[in-house]
């Protein structure tokens, strides 16, 4: 089996990236709740505690604001902290340090200081954890100048984008989808970097462009297979990083196909795909559209508990297929 | 790092620092009143002994974090008065190139990791900087300034606890000036002294007369020694008083003229001048010379800052992210 064929899970890919970064650079350390002996709420930190010890894989009390602030201070003082927030919903407890401090320090101080930190947090629904453990808040972070926002959709990107985020001299929010942790894919063993700000073309088709983020990328790819059987040839594009946003490949693909479906798990109202829609509408790609831009988003509701309610709250594969077919019919 | 009453040179330095803080803020107050300064600012006139005593107990390579009322901290840690004034005057040569203003002055070269516009915002950051020094095996200490208002924020409790459980090299310094904007400490706390809260985190809590620069220095020296030796943080409470309002909107409706004038009678600078003369460290002529030098220094700072180019909007978009 060559390196290229090696498959590991998304969670293992994150762990491998952190391990390689910590081996290569003494400044890199991790802090978060239950990341030590417990191995992380989603098992991501795993054996890192045994490998690197309690100083560099630092268990913390349940103090999100305190630990994110500690990461900001450590980054200001020359370290490269990686904070794990157990559920991205809990970033709400730490918003002052994320939004008022980390995002703005470089700017406010006129460039005199940098905050090279990574905040990793699982987002999304699908685990029956209900409204306070299932949100998709990526648009909030993307709306704040000074933050970079990353949403890896594959195991390979989970590793490559995280290593790039750790190298970055800015605060980077990495939102990992909790349903993806156990999915596997080919991941190179070496410490490769996937640059922030490069949209990935996951599938190329002639009839319809689907732009999707997070877990919706794999759902869009599955929907594309179904649509192909109906004779609809679909492109699937994954921006991978919301900030910086690489819009050009999206505009080019939309110009080519003339149809675009934007898919996100988060509620549609003022969501990230609203920004993509606006960018398309502001560009010459607008003149190439054969049908209006269409968005498929989570409902504008908190995520409910019951499994049938939870799955009804966010786009599923048949919803994407149906939206795609409707777009074709409209044009 | 010497006691302010140990020798004439240190006494002179302490006195000059306090006068620089006083005169800087008077100059700022005057420029603002005459419409020559933009925005808002928070003055610490009356509180000069606290930052001066604290920073005298620090090494040059130790760090501080500061607050919205931070001019004194910056000056005591060694900031350049001209660059500070240029920042407040919205100049390109200011510490933040006009992007931060009064509430965001930092001077990384002198160990000032930054003032902060959010109450208690700097406390977790100071704790993290101390963690960084620990992880690097560096023996630096962080002095974390905040006001009495900050101790009722969650950030204070989370960060102080982290500092305590990890025994980090940080000293938490509450400048208790009696009011969080208009809300008095009698109303905001059910204990008498902020320092009592230290017991909840398993660290020493010390209350001192924050208008006595020698008392502040002595308490700080003990706290710094403890922090540097790995024994962990101390909560130091410097009891003081701000003569001016919270900010420019303050009409002083929440306190009496009598209270203000009573505290003005406890001027930390006058008290220190009396002590150094009584101790035979400086003569009245030395003190007059210090005052005069500071006035000249401030005039030069205002003049130089005024003649600097205005902050330039042309590269604003390139100022948001650091480049690798």
């Amino acid at each position: 089996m060559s390196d290229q064929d090696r498959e590991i899970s998304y969670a293992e890919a994150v762990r491998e990236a952190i391990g390689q970064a910590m081996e290569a650079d003494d400044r890199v350390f991790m802090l978060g709740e239950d990341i030590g002996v417990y191995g992380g709420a989603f098992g991501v930190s795993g054996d890192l505690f045994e490998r690197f010890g309690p100083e560099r894989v630092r268990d913390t009390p349940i103090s999100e604001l305190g630990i994110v602030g500690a990461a900001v201070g450590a980054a200001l003082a020359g370290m490269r902290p990686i904070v794990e927030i157990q559920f991205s919903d809990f970033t709400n407890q730490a918003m002052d340090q994320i939004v008022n401090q980390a995002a703005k320090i470089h700017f406010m101080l006129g460039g005199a200081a940098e905050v090279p930190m990574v905040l990793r947090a699982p987002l999304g629904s699908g685990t029956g954890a209900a409204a306070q453990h299932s949100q998709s808040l990526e648009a909030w972070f993307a709306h704040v100048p000074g933050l970079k926002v990353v949403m890896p959709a594959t195991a390979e990107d989970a590793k490559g984008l995280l290593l790039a985020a750790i190298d970055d001299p800015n605060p980077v929010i990495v939102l990992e989808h909790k349903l993806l942790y156990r999915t596997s894919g080919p991941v190179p063993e070496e410490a490769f970097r996937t640059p922030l700000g490069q949209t990935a073309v996951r599938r190329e088709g002639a009839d319809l462009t689907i732009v999707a983020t997070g877990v919706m990328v794999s759902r869009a790819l599955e929907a594309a297979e179904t649509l192909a059987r109906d004779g609809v040839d679909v492109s699937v594009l994954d921006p991978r990083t919301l900030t910086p946003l690489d819009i050009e490949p999206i505009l080019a693909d939309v110009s080519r196909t003339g149809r675009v479906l934007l898919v996100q798990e988060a509620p549609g109202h003022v969501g990230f795909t609203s920004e993509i829609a606006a960018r398309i509408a502001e560009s010459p790609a607008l003149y190439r559209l054969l049908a209006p831009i269409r968005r498929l988003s989570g409902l504008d509701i908190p995520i409910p508990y019951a499994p049938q309610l939870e799955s009804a709250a966010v786009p599923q594969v048949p919803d994407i297929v149906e939206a795609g077919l409707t777009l074709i019919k409209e044009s | 790092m010497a006691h302010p009453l140990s020798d004439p040179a240190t006494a002179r330095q302490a006195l000059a620092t306090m006068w620089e803080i006083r005169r800087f803020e008077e100059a700022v107050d005057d420029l603002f009143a005459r419409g020559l300064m933009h925005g808002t600012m928070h003055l610490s006139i009356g509180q000069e002994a606290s930052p001066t005593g604290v920073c005298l107990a620090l090494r040059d390579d130790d760090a501080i974090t500061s607050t919205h009322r931070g001019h004194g901290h910056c000056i005591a840690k060694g900031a350049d008065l001209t660059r500070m004034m240029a920042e407040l005057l919205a100049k390109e040569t200011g510490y933040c190139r006009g992007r931060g203003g009064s509430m965001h002055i930092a001077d990384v070269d002198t160990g000032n990791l930054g003032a902060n516009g959010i109450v208690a915002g700097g406390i977790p950051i100071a704790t993290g900087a101390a963690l960084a020094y620990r992880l690097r095996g560096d023996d630096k200490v962080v002095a974390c300034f905040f006001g009495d208002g900050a101790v009722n924020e969650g950030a204070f409790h989370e960060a102080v606890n982290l500092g305590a459980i990890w025994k980090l090299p940080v000293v938490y310094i509450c400048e208790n000036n009696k009011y969080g904007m208009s809300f008095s400490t009698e109303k905001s706390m059910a204990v008498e002294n902020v320092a009592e809260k230290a017991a909840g985190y398993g660290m020493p809590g010390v209350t001192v007369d924050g208008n006595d620069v020698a008392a502040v220095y002595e308490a700080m020296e003990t706290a710094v020694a403890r922090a540097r030796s790995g024994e962990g943080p101390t909560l130091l409470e410097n009891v003081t008083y701000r003569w001016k309002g919270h900010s420019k909107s303050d009409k002083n409706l929440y306190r009496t003229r009598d209270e203000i004038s009573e505290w003005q009678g406890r001027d930390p600078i006058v008290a220190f001048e009396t002590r150094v003369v009584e101790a035979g460290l400086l003569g009245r002529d030395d003190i007059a010379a210090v005052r005069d030098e500071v006035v000249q220094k401030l005039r030069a700072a205002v003049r130089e800052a005024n003649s600097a180019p205005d902050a330039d909007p042309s590269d604003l978009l390139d100022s948001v992210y650091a480049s690798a």
Side-chain angles (χ1 to χ4, degrees):
Chain A
M1 193 173 88
S2 76
D3 277 5
Q4 272 64 32
D5 298 327
R6 185 191 69 139
E7 290 208 354
I8 59 173
S9 75
Y10 184 100
E12 287 164 341
V14 173
R15 187 185 316 138
E16 189 167 274
I18 296 170
Q20 288 175 341
M22 287 178 63
E23 276 168 8
D25 187 345
D26 286 344
R27 297 174 302 171
V28 179
F29 73 103
M30 204 181 166
L31 68 172
E33 294 156 10
D34 310 300
I35 62 170
V37 174
Y38 195 99
F42 289 89
V44 172
S45 51
D47 65 351
L48 291 172
F49 181 76
E50 282 74 36
R51 288 173 58 199
F52 295 99
E55 287 286 307
R56 294 182 74 194
V57 179
R58 185 167 285 261
D59 260 327
T60 68
I62 303 167
S63 303
E64 287 82 8
L65 179 60
I67 64 181
V68 174
V72 175
L76 266 176
M79 299 296 280
R80 298 256 166 178
I82 303 170
V83 180
E84 176 173 305
I85 295 294
Q86 205 160 71
F87 286 79
S88 63
D89 312 70
F90 306 164
T91 59
N92 288 307
Q93 300 269 47
M95 272 303 181
D96 174 57
Q97 288 293 331
I98 299 170
V99 174
N100 290 326
Q101 313 294 343
K104 294 176 174 56
I105 284 174
H106 178 71
F107 181 88
M108 286 191 305
L109 303 192
E114 295 177 356
V115 186
M117 63 175 277
V118 172
L119 187 157
R120 299 176 34 252
L123 92 169
S125 65
T127 64
Q132 296 171 337
H133 292 71
S134 304
Q135 294 168 87
S136 298
L137 300 174
E138 66 272 15
W140 289 15
F141 298 113
H143 194 66
V144 178
L147 299 177
K148 295 189 177 183
V149 185
V150 179
M151 285 180 76
T154 67
E156 183 177 348
D157 277 357
K159 179 174 175 182
L161 291 169
L162 181 54
L163 280 166
I166 295 166
D167 288 344
D168 200 280
N170 297 285
V172 183
I173 310 294
V174 181
L175 297 167
E176 299 159 356
H177 201 290
K178 51 181 83 89
L179 292 183
L180 295 176
Y181 279 134
R182 292 178 195 283
T183 64
S184 291
V187 179
E189 283 189 37
E190 74 269 16
F192 67 99
R193 268 73 177 165
T194 304
L196 307 185
Q198 288 188 3
T199 291
V201 179
R202 301 289 183 197
R203 189 182 201 280
E204 211 160 3
D207 302 324
L208 168 66
T209 303
I210 298 180
V211 181
T213 50
V215 76
M216 292 299 151
V217 174
S218 49
R219 288 187 194 166
L221 287 166
E222 205 181 323
E225 293 301 315
T226 307
L227 286 163
R229 288 195 287 277
D230 289 328
V232 181
D233 192 15
V234 176
S235 285
V236 175
L237 274 67
D238 169 9
R240 300 199 280 197
T241 60
L242 281 53
T243 310
L245 173 60
D246 179 22
I247 194 70
E248 290 306 325
I250 295 171
L251 300 179
D253 205 76
V254 171
S255 299
R256 203 168 51 73
T257 63
R259 300 178 188 91
V260 61
L261 173 62
L262 307 170
V263 187
Q264 68 178 19
E265 177 173 350
H269 185 63
V270 204
F272 174 68
T273 51
S274 310
E275 177 65 23
I276 304 268
R279 299 285 189 105
I280 294 167
E282 286 173 338
S283 82
L286 180 73
Y287 299 118
R288 310 296 293 273
L289 290 179
L290 304 168
I293 299 167
R294 191 176 178 91
R295 288 183 297 148
L296 180 65
S297 312
L299 301 180
D300 291 320
I301 61 169
I303 297 294
Y305 162 68
Q308 66 278 20
L309 303 182
E310 185 180 29
S311 65
V314 301
Q316 305 296 331
V317 175
D319 303 319
I320 302 173
V321 172
E322 191 190 328
L325 289 173
T326 307
L327 243 176
I328 298 289
K329 277 183 211 141
E330 280 174 355
S331 54
Chain B
M1 286 180 63
H3 193 289
L5 295 171
S6 62
D7 61 90
T10 311
R12 200 174 201 286
Q13 183 196 340
L15 186 59
T17 300
M18 290 198 285
W19 272 120
E20 282 182 17
I21 297 168
R22 175 75 54 91
R23 294 293 186 226
F24 180 90
E25 295 207 313
E26 285 173 349
V28 163
D29 200 23
D30 176 60
L31 287 163
F32 193 90
R34 289 194 284 144
L36 299 173
M37 193 170 271
H38 166 77
T40 190
M41 74 275 306
H42 307 86
L43 302 177
S44 64
I45 292 175
Q47 304 183 186
E48 295 88 349
S50 170
T52 303
V54 164
C55 291
L56 268 180
L58 296 175
R59 291 193 322 223
D60 286 349
D61 64 340
D62 288 332
I64 65 166
T65 61
S66 171
T67 69
H68 59 288
R69 201 174 305 286
H71 303 144
H73 310 140
C74 294
I75 293 170
K77 193 67 178 72
D80 178 70
L81 297 182
T82 304
R83 289 190 67 196
M84 283 180 69
M85 194 59 81
E87 182 60 29
L88 271 64
L89 287 167
K91 301 294 186 174
E92 188 66 28
T93 56
Y95 267 111
C96 315
R97 303 177 62 213
R99 283 135 175 81
S102 167
M103 282 188 281
H104 302 295
I105 293 177
D107 185 14
V108 180
D109 292 339
T110 61
N112 178 355
L113 298 176
N116 209 304
I118 303 294
V119 170
I123 309 177
I125 293 174
T127 304
L131 174 60
Y133 300 146
R134 159 70 55 75
L135 287 169
R136 281 212 305 256
D138 209 324
D139 73 343
K140 292 184 194 179
V141 167
V142 186
C144 172
F145 288 103
F146 49 91
D148 49 277
V151 304
N152 298 313
E153 289 277 10
F156 166 81
H157 299 276
E158 294 192 17
V160 167
N161 184 55
L162 288 178
I165 60 170
W166 292 337
K167 295 194 184 310
L168 295 178
V170 55
V171 182
Y172 298 107
I173 300 148
C174 179
E175 294 182 320
N176 179 356
N177 64 15
K178 307 280 192 187
Y179 295 92
M181 203 158 159
S182 69
F183 206 60
S184 70
T185 50
E186 283 79 17
K187 293 177 185 164
S188 68
M189 307 192 303
V191 292
E192 191 179 344
N193 297 309
V194 169
E196 293 173 52
K197 294 172 189 280
Y201 302 101
M203 66 174 72
V206 183
T207 302
V208 301
D209 177 355
N211 282 8
D212 178 347
V213 67
V216 171
Y217 173 87
E218 286 158 17
M220 185 65 187
E221 188 185 38
T222 305
V224 167
R226 179 181 158 84
R228 214 184 298 284
S229 68
E231 291 174 73
T234 299
L235 177 59
L236 172 60
E237 177 185 18
N238 296 339
V239 177
T240 183
Y241 197 82
R242 61 168 158 76
W243 295 3
K244 297 281 180 172
H246 161 75
S247 70
K248 291 298 158 187
S249 64
D250 193 335
K251 297 182 184 68
N252 275 323
L253 299 175
Y254 52 90
R255 53 185 191 174
T256 62
R257 293 227 159 272
D258 287 348
E259 181 183 291
I260 297 170
S261 48
E262 187 203 328
W263 277 92
Q264 285 173 334
R266 296 193 225 169
D267 185 331
I269 305 183
V270 170
F272 186 63
E273 287 180 344
T274 306
R275 278 184 81 178
V276 294
V277 170
E278 283 171 3
L281 289 165
L282 298 177
R284 283 288 165 193
D285 50 340
D286 296 319
I287 286 169
V290 168
R291 291 181 177 196
D292 188 53
E293 280 164 31
V294 170
V295 169
Q296 298 308 325
K297 200 171 167 183
L298 249 300
R299 281 192 185 140
V302 173
R303 193 168 52 239
E304 200 181 324
N306 259 324
S307 63
D310 289 339
D312 178 6
S314 65
D315 67 343
L316 270 181
L317 283 173
D318 297 325
S319 306
V320 181
Y321 293 96
S323 43

